[in-house]
Amino acid sequence: MRRPLLLSVVALLVYGMAAVAVGQLPKGWQAEQFAFPGIDGPVTAFLTWDDGTGEALYVAGTFTIAGDAKASNIARWDGSTWTSLGSGTDGSIRALIVYDDGLGEALYVGGNFSTAGGDAAIDVARWDGSTWSPVGDGTTGTVYCMAVFDDGFGPSLFVGGSFFASGSSAESIARLESGEWIALDGGLGSSRVVSVNSMVVFDDGVGEQLYAGGEFTSAGTVSAGNIAKWDGAVWSAVGGTSPGQGVDGPVRMLDVFDLGSGPSLYVAGQFSDAGGVDARSIALWDGTTWSTLAEGVNGRINSMVLLDDGLSPQIFVAGSFTMAGTETALSLARWEGDSWQAVGDGAGPQEVNALGLYDGGSGIELFAGGPFTITNGAAGSRLMRWDFEAWRSLEAGVSGPVNATLAARETDREVLYVGGDFTLVGPQFDEFPKYIARWDGQNWTALGQMFNGPVFALALHDAGSGPELYAGGDFTMIGDTPANRVARWDGSQWWPLGDGLQGSPTSTTARALISHDDGSGPALFVGGQFAAAGGAGPSILVARWDGLEWSTVGAPGGVSSKTVFDLEVFDEGDGPVLFACGDMESMGGVSARRVARWDGTTWSSVGEPINFTALRISALE
């Protein structure tokens, strides 16, 4: 049974006249199975925190969607569901930390933004679990890292990056005190190209100190090669006073790990020398001496985490490299204390920005974030998880908008066909089904060869040999076969419908399909934006395919720049008739605003013109 015409019109209006001809899912199917598998932009930071409702993984970066939730640059994953943090920020987030400023624990974020929750907050903001608030007057630049350290004034929030702190002489690093930014003995460097990328608190034998790593050659009044330490009063170099006693390249990550012989400071980035010792992008500082981790990696390290399973603690590193020690490791590797190992098949040639650990209820897992879309054969847009057997996405979804779904009965099961503007489906796959795929309740499969453009409409139609699947959209090729905007799937391959639709190469498209008998025999009706169909034309906005050839539907009408977005069959009491919905002003030379009726012979308008503004409002309420 077709859905009522009014509901179709309302749906078109709610979606801003975009073609959303989405059918109902079969009984018992879950909409979440078709959610976006991850994040729609780069991930740069992870953090686990309990805001009072349970521990969750917070993911930050530059994105607008997380799973099926709208989320502006930050989102919360509780092991099964994505949620946004209010309206998020209006720019990228690079750092996350939990800090108690005396009012209770809160999540602090740093990056490059001007608002949080819709209110002014420059580069640093505070989230208390329900509300955003600014932190001081913010900074002028970008915040890359944050740390909490007691330098004699009680636990304080420190921020590092590439900035000048507002209302302060602080450069690249600052401490928050009573809402004001305080400089640290001249800061680091004297140029805006200087940056602090990571900070960590480490006791190197003389008490806890704040270590800062990045790209700089001085700290306060001393020379320092990209790494320095702050004791609460003055800066010192690490490993000596010469810049050569630090590291000879950028530091991107600092952390303190204990692999069984006591805590040590691990320094990672992109360098080849640490205090005169050969070290490829990663080195260890025990408070007095630099040492290497075998041969290190042959590229850049962006992030590190320690996983201690109670048997053998390991350090996982991520970045942009192809070798770790003597092992092939594509952007992901683990250090077992004496040797390097790959992590699955890695992230291919793509960079990984951030690592995090989280237990969503089924055991601890490693999360990797970055600009990638595929990891080890799994489709996971910008976010993947490693369960110590394989890489997996967070949701079994598709990598872009779904425009149409169609349920169909096969021999022993009901399946769902999905069409849209996506290029990948499922958490794992062997083929890349572009723009159309089949879901059987457990697995995704491709339908023949790839389309070269999005699919907007799906329909079942029987042209005499049984019901077959038809797809319409903005494509011209399926594999090596020309197919102009409409095609037929016979269960094993795609076939064009004659010469298909013709018109402007940039605007011709099929937006709606429906099987209907208007009195001249069963046929597939196609709506969209086109000037002709096959050899029949001009045929603007709606055409008819009888299985062998195209024909016009009434006299030419409408305007070629207009579009029919949906076709519906509705029985007003005298038998089924065809209705077309779109943004047209006329059909077949007859005035018909937005909705027109085809009785098999002529087009006609449908009652009084619809008040679309009022209908849109009522549909959303």
Side-chain angles (χ1 to χ4, degrees):
M1 178 183 295
R2 301 294 298 181
R3 59 187 182 277
L5 174 64
L6 179 59
L7 292 181
S8 175
V9 176
V10 171
L12 284 168
L13 294 167
V14 169
Y15 286 96
M17 299 302 292
V20 186
V22 181
Q24 292 182 336
L25 298 181
K27 183 179 180 181
W29 290 36
Q30 302 297 315
E32 302 85 61
Q33 291 167 321
F34 308 99
F36 192 86
I39 306 292
D40 72 338
V43 172
T44 51
F46 293 109
L47 182 141
T48 56
W49 180 49
D50 186 346
D51 64 359
T53 61
E55 188 171 82
L57 180 70
Y58 290 79
V59 180
T62 308
F63 52 82
T64 59
I65 297 173
D68 57 358
K70 291 183 178 180
S72 187
N73 304 307
I74 187 167
R76 178 182 183 274
W77 170 257
D78 66 5
S80 61
T81 305
W82 285 105
T83 53
S84 63
L85 276 65
S87 57
T89 63
D90 67 343
S92 62
I93 294 175
R94 304 295 296 269
L96 301 172
I97 197 168
V98 174
Y99 172 57
D100 188 341
D101 58 3
L103 300 176
E105 277 193 353
L107 178 66
Y108 283 71
V109 307
N112 189 352
F113 50 84
S114 58
T115 65
D119 295 324
I122 312 299
D123 299 333
V124 189
R126 177 183 185 274
W127 170 258
D128 65 6
S130 60
T131 305
W132 287 101
S133 57
V135 178
D137 292 330
T139 68
T140 303
T142 303
V143 171
Y144 293 128
C145 58
M146 296 186 287
V148 175
F149 174 57
D150 186 347
D151 59 359
F153 298 90
S156 299
L157 178 70
F158 290 73
V159 297
S162 182
F163 59 77
F164 291 111
S166 298
S168 168
S169 61
E171 180 182 350
S172 299
I173 190 167
R175 175 172 60 85
L176 184 66
E177 180 181 319
S178 301
E180 302 292 334
W181 295 111
I182 308 300
L184 276 64
D185 188 27
L188 299 168
S190 58
S191 169
R192 288 297 302 277
V193 300
V194 167
S195 69
V196 176
N197 300 325
S198 183
M199 296 185 291
V200 70
V201 177
F202 175 54
D203 187 342
D204 56 10
V206 295
E208 288 190 340
Q209 300 186 68
L210 180 67
Y211 280 70
E215 296 179 66
F216 50 85
T217 57
S218 65
T221 60
V222 302
S223 296
N226 301 307
I227 183 170
K229 57 183 179 178
W230 170 255
D231 66 3
V234 296
W235 287 102
S236 329
V238 175
T241 58
S242 168
Q245 291 302 306
V247 297
D248 66 348
V251 172
R252 293 183 176 271
M253 183 71 182
L254 300 173
D255 216 331
V256 176
F257 302 135
D258 185 350
L259 295 188
S261 57
S264 294
L265 177 68
Y266 288 77
V267 181
Q270 190 166 21
F271 49 82
S272 59
D273 180 279
V277 176
D278 290 338
R280 293 200 309 171
S281 298
I282 187 167
L284 183 152
W285 171 253
D286 64 6
T288 57
T289 306
W290 287 102
S291 58
T292 63
L293 280 68
E295 294 87 355
V297 305
N298 68 340
R300 179 172 62 251
I301 293 176
N302 296 327
S303 185
M304 302 182 289
V305 294
L306 175 70
L307 176 63
D308 189 349
D309 60 6
L311 298 175
S312 57
Q314 302 174 49
I315 298 173
F316 288 78
V317 302
S320 178
F321 50 83
T322 59
M323 298 288 292
T326 59
E327 299 292 322
T328 299
L330 303 180
S331 298
L332 289 152
R334 67 178 186 269
W335 172 253
E336 298 184 334
D338 57 5
S339 63
W340 289 100
Q341 300 294 329
V343 182
D345 287 340
Q350 303 172 92
E351 187 168 8
V352 178
N353 292 332
L355 294 176
L357 297 171
Y358 176 61
D359 186 344
S362 56
I364 196 76
E365 292 179 313
L366 176 71
F367 286 73
F372 53 79
T373 54
I374 310 169
T375 303
N376 190 24
S381 187
R382 284 84 180 192
L383 184 61
M384 297 294 297
R385 58 192 172 102
W386 169 255
D387 63 5
F388 303 98
E389 291 183 358
W391 287 105
R392 307 186 187 280
S393 66
L394 271 68
E395 296 168 273
V398 300
S399 64
V402 172
N403 299 323
T405 64
L406 177 70
R409 185 72 188 177
E410 292 189 347
T411 304
D412 59 347
R413 71 179 68 186
E414 195 168 42
V415 299
L416 190 76
Y417 295 101
V418 179
D421 194 359
F422 53 81
T423 56
L424 305 173
V425 299
Q428 291 186 306
F429 52 88
D430 297 320
E431 300 176 79
F432 295 3
K434 286 191 174 183
Y435 307 115
I436 189 167
R438 172 186 174 276
W439 172 257
D440 66 7
Q442 294 182 324
N443 300 299
W444 288 102
T445 54
L447 274 71
Q449 293 182 298
M450 299 180 190
F451 285 58
N452 72 338
V455 171
F456 292 116
L458 300 171
L460 289 177
H461 173 61
D462 188 346
S465 57
E468 293 177 308
L469 176 68
Y470 288 74
D474 188 12
F475 52 84
T476 57
M477 299 288 293
I478 304 176
D480 298 328
T481 303
N484 284 320
R485 278 78 182 193
V486 192
R488 173 177 62 89
W489 172 252
D490 67 3
S492 59
Q493 69 181 90
W494 289 100
W495 298 91
L497 274 61
D499 292 331
L501 307 182
Q502 291 84 45
S504 167
T506 60
S507 61
T508 300
T509 183
R511 292 277 181 169
L513 305 176
I514 196 168
S515 180
H516 174 55
D517 187 344
D518 65 356
S520 55
L524 181 75
F525 287 76
V526 181
Q529 182 180 144
F530 48 88
S539 177
I540 295 174
L541 307 185
V542 180
R544 180 181 182 275
W545 171 258
D546 66 4
L548 296 174
E549 59 182 3
W550 289 98
S551 59
T552 60
V553 178
V559 181
S560 60
S561 62
K562 302 298 183 179
T563 305
V564 166
F565 290 110
D566 198 13
L567 296 172
E568 294 292 337
V569 173
F570 181 63
D571 190 340
E572 297 177 299
D574 297 324
V577 295
L578 179 69
F579 288 78
C581 306
D583 61 357
M584 66 282 189
E585 296 289 336
S586 65
M587 288 291 287
V590 177
S591 177
R593 293 185 58 193
R594 313 297 192 263
V595 184
R597 176 199 294 112
W598 171 254
D599 64 6
T601 305
T602 59
W603 287 103
S604 60
S605 62
V606 179
E608 296 295 324
I610 293 176
N611 185 334
F612 284 94
T613 301
L615 185 55
R616 182 182 288 110
I617 292 172
S618 64
L620 291 173
E621 289 178 341

